[in-house]
Amino acid sequence: MQTELSRRLGVEHAIFGFTPFPAVVAAISRAGGFGVLGAVRYAAPDDLKRDLDWIEANVDGRPYGLDVVMPAKKVEGVSEADVEAMIPEGHRQYVRDTLAKYDVPELAEGEVSGWRITGWMEQVARTQLDVAFDYPITLLANALGSPPGDVVERAHERGVLVAALAGSARHARKHAEAGIDIVVAQGYEAGGHTGEIASMVLTPEVVEAVDPLPVLAAGGIGSGQQVAAALSLGAQGVWLGSIWLTVTEAEMHSRGVTRKLLAAGSGDTVRSRALTGKPARQLRTEWTDAWDDPSGPGTLPMPLQGLLVAEALSRIQKYEVEPLLGTPVGQIVGRMNSERSVQEVFDDLTRGFEHAVDRINRIAGRGDPS
């Protein structure tokens, strides 16, 4: 599964794996793909340095990258405390009432929330880059579109390619104008933040819009047949995230989440603003239902919503409160019905890809008639 882009990056398969777990990053790259570490959860630079040190020691010299979250427009002089002060008391009370309804215990005295998404704050992302550029990363991806121009320039000075996610051809063209090297066309089916256009429609639109820039297809992809379909639509690779949540190398925070993922069907997700304030596909739970309920106060814009619910989500996860327990995941969750190693996932992807190519060759009259 090689393309011009995979050869340029020195990987065997044009499979890019986004994951928050260092062990999964290293396993993806060792399996011949390209592992990308999600940095949003690293509020402390030393924590990111620790995990990048681990990846360096376990990736066997294979290439890997980093995914950050930062807006294209810079906002000066705004601290996390300033943002926290913008959260209305009525929303805080709604969180308290919802947790009380399900008898969610408090955190221990002095215990700090383990689910702070301060990585959504630009100044935090910049400290992450200060750390990451000391390592031999070869790709920097931004989940909120084109990163600021100085960040693109800084990456290019170090020979690092820059990728940005796009949910429409219009977004993709803006990325091209901003000097982005790779566009990730993320369809409606994807987990996390995603737009309104499905992958089958979006991928060829983006390919045409930014030609000759390479495009990666994302959203709902979890089989080799789907990889073949993405490449046939003009993509130079695929960007997979959800499929790695149930691999054996994943350091999932909760066995309850893993059980729910393995039991879920493709219709058991919802695009909700409950997590961050922007539409993000995740498991549908009574927590997402509460925030989508018209009788509630409604969600706040990013980053207010994420800061509002951070401690609540830590409590839900720590105590595994089943009705409220969830995670971002795409519609491909319906295929994630067993725990496998990263290598087993790759073996399945490559077999499925070969079968799809063979089938198309037979249809086109190029295969063995026997």
Side-chain angles (χ1 to χ4, degrees), residues 209-245:
V210 301
D211 183 58
L213 287 184
V215 172
L216 301 177
I221 301 173
S223 72
Q225 291 87 342
Q226 291 171 306
V227 176
L231 299 187
S232 72
L233 293 172
Q236 288 202 31
V238 293
W239 179 274
L240 309 184
S242 297
I243 197 72
W244 314 112
L245 291 174

Side-chain angles (χ1 to χ4, degrees), residues 128-325:
Q128 293 167 350
L129 294 179
D130 291 339
V131 172
F133 283 142
D134 286 336
Y135 292 81
I137 64 171
T138 53
L139 176 69
L140 172 66
N142 187 37
L144 280 185
S146 304
D150 67 296
V151 171
V152 176
E153 182 178 351
R154 190 178 174 191
H156 286 167
E157 287 172 352
R158 290 163 172 76
V160 177
L161 297 181
V162 180
L165 276 65
S168 70
R170 178 175 60 85
H171 292 156
R173 281 190 287 267
K174 287 185 177 180
H175 296 339
E177 293 166 1
I180 298 302
D181 304 292
I182 302 166
V183 177
V184 181
Q186 186 180 34
Y188 172 83
E189 308 95 324
H193 295 117
T194 184
E196 302 279 356
I197 306 173
S199 298
M200 197 74 171
V201 174
L202 179 66
T203 301
E205 285 187 352
V206 171
V207 168
E208 182 178 348
V210 301
D211 183 58
L213 287 184
V215 172
L216 301 177
I221 301 173
S223 72
Q225 291 87 342
Q226 291 171 306
V227 176
L231 299 187
S232 72
L233 293 172
Q236 288 202 31
V238 293
W239 179 274
L240 309 184
S242 297
I243 197 72
W244 314 112
L245 291 174
T246 54
V247 296
T248 53
E249 293 92 341
E251 302 142 8
M252 187 58 76
H253 49 257
S254 162
R255 285 302 301 174
V257 169
T258 300
R259 287 193 299 272
K260 292 185 81 168
L261 288 169
L262 295 174
S266 56
D268 292 328
T269 68
V270 63
R271 284 173 75 245
S272 170
R273 297 177 184 269
L275 190 64
T276 68
K278 285 184 176 290
R281 187 173 297 284
Q282 54 205 282
L283 282 178
R284 181 177 180 180
T285 66
E286 293 186 33
W287 177 258
T288 62
D289 286 349
W291 284 103
D292 294 336
D293 188 338
S295 66
T299 55
L300 297 169
M302 179 187 282
L304 300 181
Q305 181 71 16
L307 293 172
L308 168 67
V309 303
E311 181 181 321
L313 294 179
S314 285
R315 290 164 60 184
I316 291 166
Q317 292 167 1
K318 176 178 179 178
Y319 299 110
E320 301 214 355
V321 183
E322 192 78 11
L324 306 179
L325 197 58

